[in-house]
Amino acid sequence: MTLYSCCLILLLFTWNTAAYGPNQRAQKKGDIILGGLFPIHFGVAAKDQDLKSRPESVECIRYNFRGFRWLQAMIFAIEEINSSPTLLPNMTLGYRIFDTCNTVSKALEATLSFVAQNKIDSLNLDEFCNCSEHIPSTIAVVGATGSGISTAVANLLGLFYIPQVSYASSSRLLSNKNQFKSFLRTIPNDEHQATAMADIIEYFRWNWVGTIAADDDYGRPGIEKFREEAEERDICIDFSELISQYSDEEEIQQVVEVIQNSTARVIVVFSSGPDLEPLIKEIVRRNITGKIWLASEAWASSSLIAMPEFFRVIGSTIGFALKAGQIPGFREFLQKVHPKKSTNNGFAKEFWEETFNCYLPDGSKNSPASASFHKGHEEGLGAGNGTAAFRPPCTGDENITSVETPYMDYTHLRISYNVYLAVYSIAHALQDIYTCTPGKGLFTNGSCADIKKVEAWQVLKHLRHLNFTNNMGEQVDFDEFGDLVGNYSIINWHLSPEDGSVVFEEVGHYNVYAKKGERLFINENKILWSGFSKEVPFSNCSRDCLPGTRKGIIEGEPTCCFECVDCPDGEYSDETDASACDKCPEDYWSNENHTSCIPKQIEFLSWTEPFGIALTLFAVLGIFLTSFVLGVFTKFRNTPIVKATNRELSYLLLFSLLCCFSSSLFFIGEPQNWTCRLRQPAFGISFVLCISCILVKTNRVLLVFEAKIPTSLHRKWWGLNLQFLLVFLCTFVQIVICVIWLYTAPPSSYRNHELEDEIIFITCHEGSLMALGFLIGYTCLLAAICFFFAFKSRKLPENFNEAKFITFSMLIFFIVWISFIPAYASTYGKFVSAVEVIAILAASFGLLACIFFNKVYIILFKPSRNTIEEVRCSTAAHAFKVAARATLRRSNVSRKRSNSLGGSTGSTPSSSISSKSNHEDPFPLPASAERQRQQQRGCKQKVSFGSGTVTLSLSFEEPQKNAMANRNAKRRNSLEAQNSDDSLMRHRALLPLQ
């Protein structure tokens, strides 16, 4: 049974080997064998298998010069290791390298040969089978290229724990160690590449892109990761399509229609060159230009796409490339390739034919007759442009350096260096096994593997713990996911001015080790858009919102499609495409364009503004006029007019008016805490002092002239000390109100932001409106009492008392302050202070003008009326008028009483009052003589009543005679039983001179 199994496995292996043939592999014997998988061709020929006969292996088409260079890099690394005296001395590495043809089926076909050989070795059949051509097991595989192919290979190799080190498969799915246990790679995974793509789009401020991905394990995970990164950066995707090199023409047409109709100019492509080629050809046929292509590493430098005839369509490509490495001696090795010298490389013959567009005649399977079959499918790719049927024979003396092909493009060794690094990684893992010290090994009890009987799983264990320094001085170690973290170069496609070929200009780099936000560097000066332009293309769903605006959502559209909405007042945006406007600080307001915040305009009743200057001038004018009146009264203090107006109270009244005018100045200027606390009390106390003086003056005179008989009580009220006491008491009440106000709710300076958005009104917060109401209310109460007394005394002698003018002044006072209340309530800001200043000035000017201007006019311009005789005459006239009214009233009452008793006649009035009815003085004097007599002797006036006229005559002599007359009058009053009306008349006549 064991022998039967051995023969069966050998039969299967023999069939597998025969199916591949010696010319379809590169193979060399050695102590340890490494496998290799490279895409020597871009694809396979489509063939309908009708299964009418045994299925044949499909033919590979379209030669890949870069794939052959990668294969050469593996052979070069192995030969370099074999010739090294320090790395694996006394041991030889062999290789078995197969062509995957860039397809999963061909890759699995090759992988089965690795697995089958390892399975035969695991059965240990050497004692049963005489295998002289025995090839050792493949302990590691270098490859494959595409992520989809590597996924399939990794699933198979993982079953047997055969380590697989890929040089170009970057799908992030391969980092899953639960599924791909034996997979490692020398290329960074696509997670970093997708992040870098999103960073580039954000860098150029694009937000409207399309995505295209290969429909395999490379494209789908890569583009999915890009979507995640784009969503975090508010990048919107207009369309997302999947492609494949095997897509039919209708599917390609649909994708091209989507691209052509899309407004997105940036297209992110996660694909390999072969998968993208059919799409690019159709786009070129339709001449769809103006697109910016963001290329993943798999096609960013693909020779299938980077062709001059495609450049007008994809000339704006920006792509990612792996960091280039240095391989000393590799250039010379590439130039030594020759079909006759490279006996171990079965792919050298086809390479030579494709490079020089000729054929090598021999009797092998790949003779020109057979080659013409599969070469005819090649659409002129590679160096040759014709089919093999028309190729001339090769001489074997062709110069490899005379032909430009991607094979000889060793200026930027990226994938080739990754292949080189993968081989050295396996070699260093074997070196660790070779130099392992028992007791310090990685296996059970610190044991070591036997280098001569090493197995694949043991190599995998050492690869996971690998740490060495490469030829560039960089540390190489695989992380827990089997990945090497590396950086990317950013390239831009340029058209060479020398030969018209596409060259890859490095324009930046992406450092995955740097902090987020500092990983990307781009030199924009090196970038050419569409091959010639320096202006960055626009790829946004909506135009940028300028500073001062924000993005507004359009219903039913992606977030990247928006309308620009102006920032509201008080908010600003100082950046382009702001998602929201920022509020300005409290003391700031947005400028006209809403691009920044400027300090709010501060308003108060300023000294420098025209309105403030006008009010200040009026206040100063009031102070000047009041001071002028005070000076006049001081200078003419002994004149009858000044004496008759109660000189001391007039001084106090003028002082209070000075305070009233001065208090208005506290309302002008920037409000401070101390001015706010001082201005209302100053205004209230000043006006109360003023009104109190007027009230006491008016009340004193009214009491004198209304009293029928002067009593001691009246004389006490007329005393100067008591008058000042009353003024003090009235003012003290206002002082108490102010003290309580300042203690409980003191006013303070207040910055009002609410009245107008862009203006700060600095005002005084009164603290308590009730207290302000009490202050003004008490002032108005005193003014009302004063008005009442003034109205009652309005008919007193006008030369003696200003009652009529006080009445007018009180009317003005009430009109001003009644108008003040609605004006104060309806205004705001600085106008509140202005209204109060106007009210103070108007009331003060009214009081000053009505009470004092008439007297100043008489004193300065009518001195003839400022005499004792004039004052006494007018006063006496009023007194006699009152007495005459009383006498006539008593006479009428007596007459009526006599008539009722029997017709007795009443006595005539006594003293110097003579009553005449309807007749004049029989001997009138001329007017000049009459005036002279009046000046010499006194005055004579007529007092008219309803039923007659009373003529009043008074004579005034020297002061000494007046004093004697007073004493005589008092003596007569005490001795004679005269009526009380005569006594009161004489007293009032003498009152002004007291």
Side-chain angles (χ1 to χ4, degrees):
M1 183 66 183
T2 304
L3 182 62
Y4 174 76
S5 299
C6 173
C7 294
L8 180 61
I9 292 174
L10 286 175
L11 179 64
L12 290 173
F13 178 71
T14 303
W15 176 85
N16 183 276
T17 304
Y20 241 77
N23 290 329
Q24 293 180 332
R25 72 176 69 182
Q27 179 172 304
K28 183 180 180 180
K29 293 182 179 180
D31 299 324
I32 298 174
I33 302 298
L34 303 183
L37 297 173
F38 295 92
I40 309 302
H41 294 86
F42 282 116
V44 295
K47 187 176 181 180
D48 184 19
Q49 301 284 356
D50 56 6
L51 301 180
K52 291 182 179 180
S53 59
R54 176 185 291 276
E56 296 180 359
S57 178
V58 294
E59 299 293 339
C60 298
I61 60 173
R62 297 187 300 170
Y63 196 81
N64 183 3
F65 287 97
R66 294 177 71 208
F68 184 71
R69 189 181 71 214
W70 301 339
L71 177 148
Q72 289 286 82
M74 179 175 177
I75 296 175
F76 174 78
I78 290 176
E79 291 185 359
E80 193 176 64
I81 293 170
N82 288 337
S83 61
S84 173
T86 57
L87 190 60
L88 297 176
N90 303 321
M91 296 199 69
T92 303
L93 294 180
Y95 53 82
R96 297 173 65 207
I97 304 172
F98 296 98
D99 179 14
T100 64
C101 299
N102 203 39
T103 60
V104 173
S105 60
K106 286 291 184 181
L108 288 178
E109 189 177 353
T111 305
L112 281 173
S113 69
F114 300 143
V115 173
Q117 181 63 44
N118 286 22
K119 197 63 180 175
I120 291 175
D121 289 345
S122 67
L123 293 176
N124 196 16
L125 299 179
D126 290 343
E127 57 182 298
F128 301 101
C129 302
N130 185 14
C131 301
S132 59
E133 297 295 328
H134 172 67
I135 300 176
S137 299
T138 303
I139 54 93
V141 176
V142 176
T145 307
S147 296
I149 297 174
S150 287
T151 299
V153 171
N155 281 319
L156 182 56
L157 294 177
L159 294 175
F160 303 95
Y161 290 93
I162 300 174
Q164 174 189 357
V165 184
S166 175
Y167 49 85
S169 300
S170 55
S171 173
R172 62 191 183 117
L173 295 181
L174 292 168
S175 296
N176 185 352
K177 294 298 105 179
N178 292 325
Q179 184 176 358
F180 307 105
K181 301 179 180 63
S182 63
F183 180 83
L184 303 98
R185 53 187 163 189
T186 56
I187 184 174
N189 69 46
D190 287 333
E191 186 165 354
H192 298 296
Q193 188 175 183
T195 304
M197 284 183 167
D199 286 343
I200 287 180
I201 293 174
E202 186 178 34
Y203 175 85
F204 288 111
R205 304 184 65 84
W206 297 324
N207 64 12
W208 190 237
V209 301
T211 63
I212 296 174
D215 191 10
D216 55 22
D217 289 338
Y218 170 71
R220 288 192 302 268
I223 212 68
E224 182 61 32
K225 175 62 177 177
F226 171 78
R227 286 198 195 98
E228 296 174 4
E229 296 291 334
E231 185 176 355
E232 292 181 3
R233 294 163 173 80
D234 293 330
I235 299 170
C236 298
I237 298 175
D238 183 29
F239 63 87
S240 187
E241 299 292 334
L242 295 176
I243 58 172
S244 171
Q245 62 177 317
Y246 304 111
S247 299
D248 56 36
E249 186 176 352
E250 183 179 353
E251 293 174 339
I252 296 297
Q253 295 282 353
Q254 290 177 353
V255 175
V256 173
E257 287 288 343
V258 171
I259 295 173
Q260 190 170 18
N261 296 329
S262 173
T263 57
R265 295 190 62 187
V266 174
I267 301 176
V268 178
V269 182
F270 254 97
S271 173
S272 63
D275 287 325
L276 185 61
E277 184 188 16
L279 178 67
I280 295 299
K281 285 183 176 180
E282 180 61 24
I283 291 175
V284 171
R285 189 185 70 81
R286 295 196 185 191
N287 195 27
I288 302 174
T289 60
K291 302 295 183 181
I292 299 101
W293 300 85
L294 193 55
S296 64
E297 175 275 329
W299 73 274
S301 56
S302 172
S303 58
L304 286 178
I305 310 300
M307 301 178 67
E309 55 266 33
F310 296 165
F311 191 80
R312 72 177 188 275
V313 169
I314 56 175
S316 295
T317 298
I318 291 180
F320 290 88
L322 300 176
K323 184 179 178 181
Q326 303 294 329
I327 307 178
F330 185 52
R331 177 181 179 181
E332 292 76 14
F333 179 81
L334 293 177
Q335 295 175 352
K336 290 179 181 178
V337 65
H338 195 278
K340 294 181 179 180
K341 297 179 181 179
S342 304
T343 55
N344 296 320
N345 191 343
F347 301 104
K349 175 180 177 293
E350 186 178 0
F351 163 75
W352 198 264
E353 293 175 337
E354 291 294 331
T355 300
F356 299 105
N357 196 22
C358 61
Y359 71 93
L360 290 169
D362 58 22
S364 67
K365 181 179 178 179
N366 284 339
S367 63
S370 62
S372 63
F373 171 76
H374 68 273
K375 296 289 195 309
H377 293 80
E378 291 190 36
E379 304 181 11
L381 295 174
N385 295 325
T387 61
F390 301 100
R391 290 177 177 176
C394 301
T395 64
D397 297 328
E398 291 85 358
N399 186 2
I400 193 70
T401 60
S402 64
V403 181
E404 290 187 4
T405 63
Y407 171 77
M408 292 301 295
D409 183 13
Y410 47 78
T411 54
H412 299 289
L413 299 177
R414 295 185 172 94
I415 299 298
S416 299
Y417 183 76
N418 284 354
V419 174
Y420 182 80
L421 190 60
V423 174
Y424 265 88
S425 297
I426 298 172
H428 277 279
L430 293 172
Q431 178 71 11
D432 291 342
I433 295 174
Y434 181 80
T435 59
C436 178
T437 301
K440 296 182 179 180
L442 299 177
F443 305 102
T444 305
N445 299 323
S447 61
C448 297
D450 185 359
I451 190 63
K452 295 182 179 180
K453 297 181 180 181
V454 65
E455 297 184 35
W457 65 271
Q458 295 172 328
V459 177
L460 177 61
K461 178 69 172 178
H462 278 271
L463 279 171
R464 290 178 178 178
H465 294 81
L466 184 66
N467 192 331
F468 72 98
T469 303
N470 63 12
N471 66 324
M472 295 179 64
E474 297 174 344
Q475 202 71 19
V476 178
D477 60 328
F478 297 100
D479 61 17
E480 57 182 324
F481 304 108
D483 299 335
L484 285 183
V485 179
N487 298 326
Y488 291 98
S489 296
I490 300 173
I491 59 175
N492 180 222
W493 290 13
H494 291 185
L495 202 60
S496 173
E498 299 175 356
D499 55 4
S501 62
V502 178
V503 295
F504 309 117
E505 179 71 23
E506 186 170 337
V507 296
H509 61 264
Y510 188 83
N511 185 1
V512 298
Y513 297 100
K515 295 188 297 183
K516 188 174 182 180
E518 300 178 0
R519 297 173 181 171
L520 180 66
F521 170 77
I522 293 180
N523 186 352
E524 291 189 51
N525 295 326
K526 290 185 176 182
I527 298 178
L528 292 178
W529 305 101
S530 300
F532 61 89
S533 176
K534 288 285 187 179
E535 182 180 357
V536 178
F538 180 82
S539 184
N540 295 52
C541 183
S542 301
R543 284 288 173 183
D544 293 344
C545 288
L546 299 176
T549 62
R550 64 170 179 84
K551 295 188 292 187
I553 297 175
I554 301 177
E555 188 174 357
E557 296 289 338
T559 56
C560 298
C561 300
F562 50 82
E563 57 183 352
C564 296
V565 181
D566 291 336
C567 291
D569 291 338
E571 298 183 9
Y572 75 101
S573 66
D574 56 359
E575 59 183 12
T576 303
D577 281 345
S579 299
C581 298
D582 298 322
K583 279 188 171 295
C584 289
E586 187 178 19
D587 291 344
Y588 289 80
W589 193 249
S590 55
N591 61 1
E592 184 177 357
N593 297 326
H594 299 277
T595 56
S596 62
C597 290
I598 57 177
K600 287 184 178 181
Q601 181 182 350
I602 297 178
E603 281 203 3
F604 53 86
L605 191 57
S606 173
W607 298 100
T608 57
E609 64 177 291
F611 197 27
I613 293 173
L615 294 177
T616 303
L617 291 177
F618 276 108
V620 172
L621 177 62
I623 294 172
F624 172 76
L625 292 177
T626 305
S627 301
F628 176 75
V629 173
L630 182 58
V632 171
F633 267 56
T634 303
K635 183 177 180 180
F636 297 94
R637 61 186 176 276
N638 294 320
T639 59
I641 288 292
V642 177
K643 288 183 177 181
T645 55
N646 199 332
R647 181 172 53 195
E648 289 75 13
L649 277 180
S650 295
Y651 292 158
L652 187 57
L653 176 58
L654 288 169
F655 171 75
S656 66
L657 286 174
L658 280 174
C659 294
C660 290
F661 283 114
S662 300
S663 67
S664 65
L665 298 177
F666 289 113
F667 292 83
I668 305 175
E670 182 177 353
Q672 304 291 337
N673 285 336
W674 69 272
T675 56
C676 291
R677 293 169 186 172
L678 184 61
R679 65 181 192 172
Q680 296 293 6
F683 142 71
I685 293 173
S686 299
F687 265 93
V688 165
L689 179 61
C690 179
I691 301 300
S692 299
C693 292
I694 298 173
L695 176 61
V696 170
K697 274 182 64 175
T698 308
N699 186 43
R700 172 179 175 271
V701 176
L702 185 63
L703 286 175
V704 170
F705 279 93
E706 290 296 325
K708 295 182 179 179
I709 300 175
T711 63
S712 59
L713 181 61
H714 291 133
R715 294 188 181 95
K716 288 182 180 179
W717 275 96
W718 298 336
L720 189 60
N721 293 333
L722 186 58
Q723 295 173 32
F724 283 120
L725 178 61
L726 291 175
V727 171
F728 170 75
L729 291 177
C730 292
T731 308
F732 182 73
V733 174
Q734 186 76 305
I735 293 174
V736 171
I737 294 174
C738 293
V739 170
I740 294 175
W741 181 8
L742 293 176
Y743 181 76
T744 57
S748 60
S749 177
Y750 171 63
R751 299 171 74 90
N752 195 329
H753 299 266
E754 300 175 358
L755 297 177
E756 290 190 18
D757 293 329
E758 54 192 60
I759 299 177
I760 299 176
F761 291 98
I762 303 181
T763 59
C764 285
H765 187 271
E766 302 300 348
S768 172
L769 290 178
M770 182 180 294
L772 180 62
F774 274 117
L775 184 141
I776 297 177
Y778 178 67
T779 306
C780 292
L781 175 64
L782 292 182
I785 296 173
C786 185
F787 174 77
F788 172 74
F789 286 138
F791 183 79
K792 286 193 65 176
S793 59
R794 69 189 182 282
K795 293 184 179 180
L796 294 180
E798 63 180 45
N799 279 6
F800 168 71
N801 191 274
E802 61 273 16
K804 187 180 297 185
F805 296 105
I806 291 176
T807 303
F808 290 144
S809 67
M810 291 299 106
L811 284 175
I812 294 173
F813 185 88
F814 278 117
I815 292 172
V816 167
W817 290 106
I818 290 174
S819 302
F820 164 78
I821 294 173
Y824 186 87
S826 60
T827 54
Y828 61 90
K830 66 180 181 180
F831 299 107
V832 174
S833 298
V835 165
E836 193 161 356
V837 171
I838 292 172
I840 292 172
L841 294 178
S844 301
F845 274 114
L847 294 174
L848 179 64
C850 292
I851 296 176
F852 291 102
F853 281 5
N854 183 51
K855 296 177 178 58
V856 172
Y857 174 77
I858 293 174
I859 293 172
L860 297 179
F861 302 105
K862 297 291 184 179
S864 61
R865 295 178 58 185
N866 188 15
T867 60
I868 296 176
E869 291 80 5
E870 187 72 21
V871 174
R872 284 182 174 177
C873 182
S874 60
T875 305
H878 176 77
F880 279 109
K881 183 176 180 179
V882 174
R885 283 178 177 171
T887 302
L888 290 176
R889 190 163 45 249
R890 282 197 305 274
S891 176
N892 291 335
V893 172
S894 299
R895 188 179 298 111
K896 290 179 181 180
R897 188 179 301 165
S898 299
N899 290 336
S900 65
L901 293 176
S904 59
T905 60
S907 60
T908 60
S910 60
S911 77
S912 58
I913 302 177
S914 58
S915 178
K916 298 180 180 181
S917 296
N918 301 323
H919 64 275
E920 298 293 335
D921 190 355
F923 305 102
L925 295 174
S928 59
E930 180 65 23
R931 283 195 301 271
Q932 183 177 1
R933 190 181 70 171
Q934 288 184 6
Q935 290 177 1
Q936 293 174 355
R937 297 180 58 191
C939 64
K940 181 178 181 181
Q941 296 186 8
K942 294 181 180 180
V943 181
S944 300
F945 298 96
S947 58
T949 301
V950 176
T951 300
L952 174 64
S953 298
L954 295 175
S955 62
F956 306 102
E957 298 177 0
E958 297 298 327
Q960 291 83 0
K961 295 180 179 179
N962 290 338
M964 185 63 69
N966 289 339
R967 287 194 295 270
N968 292 336
K970 291 179 181 179
R971 192 177 296 113
R972 285 195 302 273
N973 288 338
S974 62
L975 296 175
E976 298 176 3
Q978 294 182 350
N979 60 50
S980 61
D981 292 338
D982 296 337
S983 176
L984 180 61
M985 176 187 65
R986 287 192 300 272
H987 177 79
R988 287 171 179 169
L990 299 174
L991 182 61
L993 300 179
Q994 292 179 353

